[in-house]
Amino acid sequence: MSFKNRTVLIYSLLLFFFSAVTVFLIFPKDKQFAYSFSNGSPWLHDDLFASSDFPVYKTDQELKSEKDSIQRSFVPYYVFDTLVPLNINTMFKREMQSIENEKLPQLSITNDAEAFQIETGRKLFDNFTQEIEDLLQIYFDKGVIEIPDSVSNQAAYRFYLYGLGISELSYGYEYYSTTQLSAQIEKVYAESGIKSIDSLCAYRIRNYLNKLVVPSNIVYDASLNSKIMESKVSEISPVSGMVKEGELIIRKGNIVGAYENRILFSLKKQFESNNDGVNSFLISLGTALVFLSLFIVLFLYISGHHNSILNNFRDNTFLALQMLLLIFAVYFIFAHTEFNLNVIPFVLFPLLIITFYNFQISFIIYLTSLLIVGFFAPNSFEFVFIQTLVGIVAMFSLKNKHKRRQIFVTMGVVFLSYVVLVTGFSLMKHGMLNRDLVKEFYAYGISSFLVLLYLPFVFLFEKIFGYVSDFTLMELSDTNNEVLRLLAEKSPGTFQHSVQVANLVESVVRDLGGNYMLARTGALYHDIGKSQHPDYFIENQSGNNIHDSFDFEDSAQKIISHVKAGSELAKKYKIPSQVADFITMHHGTSLTKYFYNSWINANPDNMPVISNFKYPGPKPQSLETVVMMMADAIEAACRTLVEYTPESIEKIVSKIIDAQLEDGQYEDVEITLKQIAKAKKIFSLKIQNIYHSRVVYPEINKKS
């Protein structure tokens, strides 16, 4: 094993261990109830008897209903505010004094008639002021209350008047309202004759009364009401009965109905809340063993069936990140919010994985994550069942990943799957549609809508991890792309060759189960280096062969140079590494046979320098690149055939592939002889279709 592979393996082991430790640390360390059950499902354990007395707890719905009932029937509490009469009297006197000093004329004239008029005005003013003060005194002594506008019958409004530790039930009709007081002030003003006083004085008083907000001295005390409400709610008993020791709870095979479910829930709650004699170390040890076993099995599966992932830093990091993101999302919702866990878009995670990996690895990573987060779900079996099935449906529905509109179809399919499964469970357990079904649909609706985050997350992971999605491949395979347009303009022959090879590669890789979109795109780019010196290559020449002026070694080097030139162009135009691999690998470490054989024939007594005729490699590293190598050589060779018959095509296809296999060009790829035989068959059929015989069009006879 190379140093790099050993390093990656150690990193993989550490990553798995870190993931297991992280899950262990966030997992609750309380003891777990020994029985699993769900409402409407059969009891699969032995007959269960109560080992001791325990209370029957009310359900959350019952407690909420009792709390709501208290809130609806709650009679509010009011208190006397003694400062209100004092404040409004002081304010009123100050304002009246100000008006009197500023607006009423002074007794500085000698005319008796005018003096009498002024004195009369002052008396009217003083009488008005006194009447208002007396009115306020009378009303506030009895009490003025401001009843909420929402109360339809304010006279019958009930409230408690609290004072000196005593609460007295009172009604609205027993006291004055702020509306009544305002109306009485207006009446006093109208009957006082104050309008006959100096017009400026009357205007000032009128303006003040318009702005006057009449307060109440019987006021609602929010703090007092809150304390009393909390006290009443806290008095709600969480218990609705008792189960005695030895009492039968449920027999094996019986359906867990609503009553049994409440009893079992109470037993579970009593068991988990009783920590007497609990050994926390043993609970932690058990938790560690469970999760360590799970991660070991996952590691063994990946090492046995997808070993290439363990040899790649990026793949290990990405898959571990997906698992931890899902687990942390569930933990956060579970521990720190009141949200339903089902609002989390669980299916988003397998969709992101299957975008860059195959179905098998996507499914096993998703299933492992669900088994972990299932411990946080209220009904673990139902949760894991629904999310697993919907995740599989989602992955199948997104099979066509190169069309962005498909994600909207997937969103609809996901929601429909949730509806069908949740409805099915409801009918199976209750024999009817549960009334809480709408809430469940709401949560699943949010989860399904959040699947639209797929597109931005794909873009994000492409940038962070250097992945390439089908969306990117579609953009790259557009022949109007800058690089392909450059190839078409400078090397039209090479461009046509690349398009032909792309069609061949796509057909073969599709049938062999590889990434046909990557294969097609890579094939379009494999020869872009030829655009630097198109005249070096026969498909771009028109009669004059430039190699006639070079020796064989120089010609070989100029042909080989298109690989390096293509790599440089790929870097310049930021072509993804997965596509750039087709440039460096499509010839592997093979020889430029034409010039190598020509040199041997011209120098029979000398030994050639192999490196002068050999491509730099590397050899193909994937199914897609190895098929690319086959297609490139086959397409070029078939152009030289004199006669296109099924036999001649099959012969040359088999000869080229066998030669590459014998040369060891496929040794770095996991490809079977069965796949190679299938590739030969497909290549032969495709070449026959391309170069099929055509009908010769007859000429018109001159005599006719």
Side-chain angles (χ1 to χ4, degrees), residues 30-230:
D30 302 324
K31 58 182 181 178
Q32 301 292 312
F33 191 53
Y35 306 101
S36 60
F37 63 93
S38 63
N39 191 14
S41 299
W43 178 255
L44 303 176
H45 309 282
D46 293 332
D47 294 352
L48 183 62
F49 295 87
S51 58
S52 62
D53 295 351
F54 66 89
V56 178
Y57 292 98
K58 297 175 182 175
T59 64
D60 291 339
Q61 186 62 37
E62 287 175 323
L63 292 172
K64 183 178 183 301
S65 178
E66 289 188 33
K67 182 179 177 181
D68 291 344
S69 177
I70 289 174
Q71 290 174 339
R72 285 194 302 269
S73 61
F74 182 73
V75 178
Y77 283 72
Y78 285 73
V79 296
F80 267 112
D81 188 342
T82 56
L83 294 177
V84 167
L86 212 61
N87 290 338
I88 192 169
N89 270 319
T90 303
M91 183 176 65
F92 183 74
K93 285 179 180 179
R94 187 187 307 120
E95 186 66 25
M96 290 300 104
Q97 189 66 46
S98 173
I99 294 172
E100 184 178 13
N101 294 337
E102 290 181 15
K103 302 302 179 184
L104 290 181
Q106 303 300 313
L107 290 172
S108 57
I109 55 178
T110 58
N111 187 302
D112 292 340
E114 289 184 12
F116 176 77
Q117 186 178 4
I118 292 171
E119 183 61 27
T120 301
R122 281 187 174 278
K123 284 181 180 180
L124 286 173
F125 183 86
D126 292 340
N127 289 339
F128 167 74
T129 303
Q130 188 61 49
E131 282 188 58
I132 295 295
E133 289 178 4
D134 293 342
L135 178 67
L136 293 174
Q137 181 70 36
I138 293 169
Y139 270 67
F140 284 124
D141 280 349
K142 184 176 181 181
V144 178
I145 183 171
E146 184 172 5
I147 299 174
D149 294 335
S150 58
V151 176
S152 57
N153 188 353
Q154 297 195 355
Y157 180 64
R158 295 195 315 158
F159 62 94
Y160 282 106
L161 190 56
Y162 182 83
L164 300 176
I166 300 174
S167 300
E168 181 182 350
L169 183 62
S170 303
Y171 292 87
Y173 70 83
E174 298 176 320
Y175 302 94
Y176 295 113
S177 68
T178 53
T179 305
Q180 289 173 322
L181 179 53
S182 295
Q184 197 61 33
I185 291 173
E186 282 293 325
K187 183 179 179 182
V188 171
Y189 173 78
E191 295 175 354
S192 65
I194 201 78
K195 297 178 183 178
S196 63
I197 304 176
D198 181 81
S199 60
L200 290 177
C201 177
Y203 172 79
R204 176 75 177 270
I205 294 173
R206 176 74 270 173
N207 190 47
Y208 170 70
L209 292 178
N210 287 341
K211 294 180 180 179
L212 178 64
V213 177
V214 177
S216 57
N217 66 331
I218 300 178
V219 295
Y220 178 84
D221 190 326
S223 176
L224 176 63
N225 278 270
S226 178
K227 288 179 182 178
I228 295 174
M229 175 68 78
E230 288 176 6

